Amino acid sequence: MKVLGIETSCDDTGIAIYDSKKGLLINEVYNQNILNNKNGGVIPELASRQHMESITLLLKKIFITEKEMKDINLIAYTAGPGLVSSLLVGATFACSLGFSRNIPVIPVNHMEAHLLSPMLHSELIKFPFIALLVSGKHTQIIAVHQLGQYELLGNCLDDAAGEAFDKIAKLLGLKYPGGPELSKLACSGIKNVFHFPRPMIHHSNLNFSFSGLKTYVSKVIEKSDKTLQTKANIARAFEDAVIDTLLIKTNKALKEKKWKRLVIAGGVSANYLLRQKAEKMIQEDFNGKVFYTKLDLSTDNGGMIAYLGFLRQKQAKKPQLNILVKPKWSISDLCLFSL
Ligand code: KG4
Ligand code: ZN
């Protein structure tokens, strides 16, 4: 079975083909970093216009022959969560393509796709496990009982981890998206020159709040001498504070459930220090194992959408011009999405 995956939830346009026998055949992404850099972030209207241009270019790029198009058995697209104008581009494109070629279409949840993406490459991941989902808009701890059964244990109350990375990076004068840039700068930072709070670690719940930390760090930046070394030291302390907070709460979740398997997914899971510290924690405290996906599949892409389409193929509908998106779509409410 071959699944075409289409991702346009925010600012990355992704198209991929997943083959159930051979794995991921193609995974192409066009990002909008130049545009976002110019504007200091994502502007929804501009992002959707850019998707309109990129999506046809990408389709032309990946389909060499008409025969290859005929080999596609299913089209999966991101229906939410995300920016409505961006989601609509991918949804309209997927539904029109399915309708015109008589291929079934399936709308899928972006966060579920992140969550299951490490399974694309590792057969060792077995249910149940704890998932730490960390992206530009989400910071969640989820007890994953089985495919489609997700218990939300912790959520972010304000800024998500990726958003906090991006905002602090901007204050440090770095490019967009700031997470990877801040992380690079932090490598030359000296540990413990600055120390920032680990928010909400003494609360009994598993929720997160990074907005106070962001304000605290922004004041430190303002008062600092702004030399490159000071910026690197601040970046290092900030990265440590966010990662420690994420892992302290994840540790609690693993203990609560008495589970030993951890999956970390979403854009921030590309962070090297997070992976390093998570591995240390899971080995020392649980004698368990942590899984993530390959680096190019950590941030938004069509590959994870195509793979989730394959896993959820039973829910696919006959091609119809009924275009569905759900900008606010919680992973713990998947069944509410009436197709
Ligand atoms: O999952 P994703 O590609 O998009 C959303 O669904 O939001 O995540 C993007 C986020 C951005 O905030 C970006 O700065 C962050 O992931 N990110 C990182 C790293 N790579 C991407 N944050 C920290 N360290 C990284 N290496
Ligand atoms: Zn994402």
Side-chain angles (χ1 to χ4, degrees):
M1 174 181 207
K2 277 191 185 162
V3 187
L4 177 72
I6 294 173
E7 157 64 32
T8 62
S9 66
C10 186
D11 56 337
D12 291 318
T13 319
I15 285 201
I17 299 176
Y18 174 77
D19 181 315
S20 52
K21 290 207 180 85
K22 297 182 189 154
L24 216 46
L25 302 181
I26 295 170
N27 190 26
E28 293 282 343
V29 178
Y30 280 176
N31 66 48
Q32 302 184 4
N33 291 348
I34 295 173
L35 183 71
N36 296 335
N37 257 327
K38 214 169 79 188
N39 297 317
V42 180
I43 298 178
E45 167 76 18
L46 298 183
S48 57
R49 288 184 195 197
Q50 189 70 48
H51 281 307
M52 300 261 286
E53 274 180 35
S54 303
I55 204 158
T56 36
L57 290 176
L58 274 174
L59 192 75
K60 278 187 196 145
K61 187 174 172 189
I62 69 163
F63 282 115
I64 303 131
T65 64
E66 191 64 19
K67 183 186 167 304
E68 280 169 313
M69 185 71 209
K70 286 205 181 96
D71 284 349
I72 298 294
N73 310 101
L74 180 64
I75 300 173
Y77 71 91
T78 305
L83 301 170
V84 68
S85 51
S86 290
L87 290 168
L88 277 169
V89 177
T92 308
F93 188 82
C95 295
S96 312
L97 193 63
F99 190 71
S100 63
R101 309 280 172 140
N102 200 28
I103 304 169
V105 175
I106 178 163
V108 301
N109 182 289
H110 180 86
M111 296 316 293
E112 187 185 21
H114 271 306
L115 192 155
L116 300 172
S117 62
M119 289 183 157
L120 255 166
H121 301 290
S122 176
E123 282 160 14
L124 294 173
I125 308 176
K126 304 270 179 256
F127 300 111
F129 57 81
I130 291 292
L132 172 65
L133 279 185
V134 267
S135 72
K137 288 277 169 282
H138 292 79
T139 311
Q140 297 179 323
I141 297 179
I142 294 167
V144 180
H145 295 275
Q146 52 180 288
L147 177 70
Q149 200 188 325
Y150 310 119
E151 184 190 351
L152 188 60
L153 302 178
N155 212 345
C156 62
L157 305 178
D158 39 54
D159 289 8
E163 202 174 351
F165 263 100
D166 293 341
K167 285 179 179 168
I168 294 301
K170 197 170 169 184
L171 294 175
L172 290 170
L174 302 172
K175 283 191 300 191
Y176 185 94
E181 296 296 321
L182 187 145
S183 178
K184 256 186 251 160
L185 178 64
C187 289
S188 51
I190 304 162
K191 225 180 144 186
N192 297 330
V193 174
F194 291 93
H195 183 85
F196 300 138
R198 274 71 175 145
M200 290 182 70
I201 54 169
H202 300 298
H203 291 217
S204 57
N205 62 48
L206 296 176
N207 291 333
F208 299 96
S209 164
F210 289 112
S211 152
L213 172 66
K214 188 193 66 193
T215 309
Y216 187 101
V217 178
S218 67
K219 291 205 170 119
V220 173
I221 297 173
E222 224 174 270
K223 287 188 200 139
S224 75
D225 60 18
K226 299 188 181 63
T227 60
L228 190 61
Q229 187 59 55
T230 302
K231 285 183 179 178
N233 296 344
I234 292 173
R236 176 63 211 245
F238 173 75
E239 196 179 31
D240 272 327
V242 174
I243 291 170
D244 288 352
T245 308
L246 292 172
L247 292 179
I248 288 168
K249 295 271 177 169
T250 305
N251 190 306
K252 281 187 189 168
L254 285 156
K255 281 190 181 132
E256 260 176 36
K257 291 284 176 194
K258 299 192 175 65
W259 294 349
K260 288 171 175 241
R261 279 183 297 271
L262 171 66
V263 163
I264 308 184
V268 183
S269 73
N271 185 283
Y272 175 72
L273 195 65
L274 172 62
R275 291 185 175 209
Q276 203 185 34
K277 286 192 176 191
E279 259 161 47
K280 191 168 181 289
M281 174 197 83
I282 202 91
Q283 275 164 24
E284 288 179 0
D285 293 359
F286 300 94
N287 192 22
K289 194 150 173 49
V290 56
F291 303 89
Y292 357 75
T293 190
K294 290 181 177 173
L295 283 183
D296 60 334
L297 288 167
S298 300
T299 46
D300 291 352
N301 65 88
M304 64 183 193
I305 303 302
Y307 178 61
L308 179 56
F310 163 71
L311 295 177
R312 288 191 163 275
Q313 56 187 279
K314 281 192 195 129
Q315 279 137 308
K317 293 278 166 195
K318 278 191 197 145
Q320 53 189 352
L321 275 181
N322 184 13
I323 294 152
L324 291 161
V325 293
K326 193 161 179 171
K328 289 199 170 117
W329 186 15
S330 169
I331 192 168
S332 53
D333 280 342
L334 290 180
C335 58
L336 292 182
F337 193 55
S338 51
L339 302 175

